[in-house]
């Protein structure tokens, strides 16, 4: 089959980015240079971005922690651990099993519920320009 153009090959990723923009204004936030804003102004903007993006994540993904323990707990990494799921940090020497402190429990997606991207839509358009008429 002929190769898809990049915008069609990555349509699902572009659709996700568009949803994050629509609900949380994520692209607007990331494209803004926030250096000139106060911490309070950035914090207020973050609440809106967080709320909208969290809504999208909950609507389209089911997430689970890679390790069920709480961050800060002692955990044992077995000999047969999956290096894609567990990254060893700090003073890594010797062979597993290793015992250490869980710094981040990680995330794994157990379900994805993306909508189908219509071929009639241009997936490169993350947000249309808005023109207010008087």
């Amino acid at each position: 089959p002929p190769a898809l153009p990049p915008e069609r090959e990555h349509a699902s990723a572009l659709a996700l980015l568009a949803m994050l923009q629509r609900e949380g204004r994520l692209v607007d936030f990331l494209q803004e240079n926030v250096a000139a804003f106060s911490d309070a102004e950035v914090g207020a903007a973050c609440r809106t971005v967080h709320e909208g993006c969290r809504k999208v994540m909950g609507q389209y993904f089911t997430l689970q922690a890679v390790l069920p323990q709480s961050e800060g707990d002692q955990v044992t990494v077995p000999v047969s651990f999956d290096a894609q799921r567990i990254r060893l940090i700090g003073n890594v020497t010797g062979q597993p099993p290793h015992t250490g402190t869980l710094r981040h429990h990680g995330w794994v997606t157990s379900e994805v519920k993306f909508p189908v991207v219509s071929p009639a839509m241009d997936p490169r358009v993350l947000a249309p320009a808005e023109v207010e008429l008087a």
Side-chain angles (χ1 to χ4, degrees), residues 4-132:
L4 293 173
E7 65 271 13
R8 289 289 165 206
E9 183 178 347
H10 304 293
S12 291
L14 293 169
L16 174 61
L17 193 55
M19 289 182 272
L20 292 169
Q21 169 62 20
R22 184 180 61 246
E23 296 295 333
R25 309 286 295 208
L26 179 65
V27 175
D28 290 346
F29 180 75
L30 296 175
Q31 290 296 104
E32 186 74 39
N33 181 356
V34 298
F37 295 100
S38 71
D39 288 349
E41 290 170 317
V42 173
C46 283
R47 288 193 186 281
T48 301
V49 173
H50 180 268
E51 181 180 318
C53 292
R54 182 178 170 87
K55 176 182 172 185
V56 169
M57 292 292 291
Q59 187 173 358
Y60 295 104
F61 299 97
T62 301
L63 302 175
Q64 297 175 334
V66 171
L67 294 178
Q69 295 88 343
S70 297
E71 293 174 2
D73 285 354
Q74 290 293 305
V75 295
T76 299
V77 178
V79 172
S80 60
F81 80 97
D82 182 345
Q84 290 184 344
R85 291 177 176 255
I86 300 173
R87 179 175 58 194
L88 302 176
I89 59 174
N91 186 20
V92 181
T93 59
Q95 297 298 312
H98 297 290
T99 299
T101 304
L102 183 62
R103 294 296 176 209
H104 187 273
H105 55 67
W107 292 110
V108 64
T109 305
S110 60
E111 185 178 9
V112 177
K113 301 169 278 205
F114 270 174
V116 174
V117 179
S118 168
M121 303 294 292
D122 182 349
R124 298 172 300 167
V125 178
L126 302 179
E130 296 175 356
V131 177
E132 183 176 352

